[in-house]
Amino acid sequence: MDQLTVGIFGLTGCAGDQLTLLNCEDELLAIAGKVRMKSFKMASTTEVGGEIEVAFVEGSVCQPRDLALLREVRGRAHNLVALGTCACFGGVAAMDQRLDPEILKEKVYGTEGDLFAIQRARPLSTYVDVDFMLPGCPVEKEQLLETISCLLKGSFPEIPTTPVCADCRIRENVCLVIEKEQVCCGALTRGGCKARCPSLDVPCLGCRGPVEDAYYRAEMEFLAARGVTREVVRKEMLLFSTPAGMGERLEKEFD
Ligand code: SF4
Ligand code: SF4
């Protein structure tokens, strides 16, 4: 495919994934030659309607206007890519699925919250079909470029299915759990970030969402033997991926 028609759309989120694309300074000219951008509000006020081959959608659905935009984009796009952890798994906005969203709004915005409507934060897949998920908070630049490159060839890339611990081993890091008795969620988290945080001596908080085939029981037993309770792990892992069923997975193993 010589040119791909693309739209970049933002729902509720920090816009960090859109910024990752703009931060590809060395590659932007090459991308611009291959992509016909129909919508990218962060970069341009130009909006072109009609069909698009690929829509990248960032953020989670937290407001009725997010849902309206998502449905409109889904109706126009041949392929819809969930861009970033909020879009894939709900992200931090979706961390508590029990509290009434109206109470949360009142706590954060006070009376100014009356100016806008909200709803319980959810990932894109709650409402529409998602063709490809690219997690990360924000997404890794190399994986975003690889995704665009594969889409130009009419396919999707393979993204890592191994945990962050695998990245950590490749980088020959000292394990923060074994060597430093810290709480690190790398074994339960989808890798592909080159163990960014443990490489800087900071435990993994699970920002790339759950790894699909983690052996939860073994990991929890491993952590429990080092004095880490299930509640502590649960709290950390629910920061980014509550709607992805992290709580249920941990409960299932231990009830
Ligand atoms: S530091 Fe964390 S990510 Fe690295 S090996 Fe240990 S548990 Fe896994
Ligand atoms: S190490 Fe964990 S928290 Fe840090 S970037 Fe990777 S997945 Fe996210």
Side-chain angles (χ1 to χ4, degrees):
M1 194 178 296
D2 288 338
Q3 255 205 342
L4 197 66
T5 53
V6 168
I8 315 277
F9 302 91
L11 308 181
T12 298
C14 72
D17 304 295
Q18 297 182 65
L19 203 54
T20 300
L21 180 56
L22 289 179
N23 281 344
C24 297
E25 288 103 346
D26 292 340
E27 297 85 4
L28 271 182
L29 277 180
I31 294 173
K34 294 282 183 187
V35 160
R36 183 165 170 243
M37 197 62 78
K38 285 194 147 191
S39 176
F40 189 2
K41 280 192 180 156
M42 184 181 255
S44 166
T45 51
T46 304
E47 281 277 318
V48 183
E51 286 185 19
I52 36 184
E53 271 140 8
V54 184
F56 290 90
V57 183
E58 178 201 68
S60 52
V61 179
C62 297
Q63 307 178 65
R65 70 177 182 183
D66 289 335
L67 184 53
L69 175 60
L70 176 63
R71 287 192 166 135
E72 186 224 314
V73 169
R74 178 67 274 188
R76 293 171 58 194
H78 297 195
N79 290 294
L80 190 145
V81 176
L83 187 64
T85 294
C86 290
C88 296
F89 305 119
V92 287
M95 115 182 30
D96 197 319
Q97 292 286 302
R98 296 160 303 178
L99 276 179
D100 182 343
E102 290 300 329
I103 293 174
L104 288 171
K105 183 170 81 164
E106 202 270 326
K107 290 251 181 244
V108 175
Y109 296 101
T111 53
E112 296 200 15
D114 297 341
L115 298 172
F116 58 95
I118 60 160
Q119 59 192 68
R120 191 175 296 289
R122 298 293 301 174
L124 310 190
S125 59
T126 300
Y127 300 106
V128 298
D129 289 337
V130 171
D131 298 296
F132 185 69
M133 294 205 298
L134 190 60
C137 187
V139 291
E140 296 293 322
K141 173 183 157 182
E142 292 76 16
Q143 287 167 14
L144 179 55
L145 291 172
E146 189 189 356
T147 303
I148 295 171
S149 171
C150 285
L151 283 163
L152 278 162
K153 297 187 181 89
S155 64
F156 291 112
E158 298 249 333
I159 59 165
T161 53
T162 47
V164 175
C165 290
D167 295 6
C168 219
R169 297 297 85 205
I170 289 167
R171 294 194 68 168
E172 299 186 355
N173 292 337
V174 163
C175 177
L176 299 177
V177 179
I178 296 172
E179 305 290 340
K180 301 198 175 179
E181 297 182 352
Q182 296 192 41
V183 180
C184 181
C185 295
L188 303 176
T189 303
R190 186 188 296 242
C193 61
K194 300 189 180 129
R196 190 180 293 280
C197 303
S199 301
L200 296 169
D201 228 18
V202 177
C204 174
L205 283 176
C207 86
R208 291 177 58 79
V211 66
E212 281 310 314
D213 53 359
Y215 188 12
Y216 287 85
R217 179 173 293 274
E219 174 61 8
M220 295 305 291
E221 284 170 3
F222 170 76
L223 289 169
R226 285 153 183 84
V228 181
T229 64
R230 173 177 52 155
E231 270 319 299
V232 170
V233 177
R234 191 173 185 278
K235 196 169 156 211
E236 302 245 325
M237 283 306 292
L238 293 191
L239 277 178
F240 292 92
S241 323
T242 298
M246 276 311 295
E248 291 80 355
R249 289 183 210 208
L250 294 171
E251 295 296 331
K252 190 169 151 239
E253 289 293 347
F254 286 89
D255 283 345

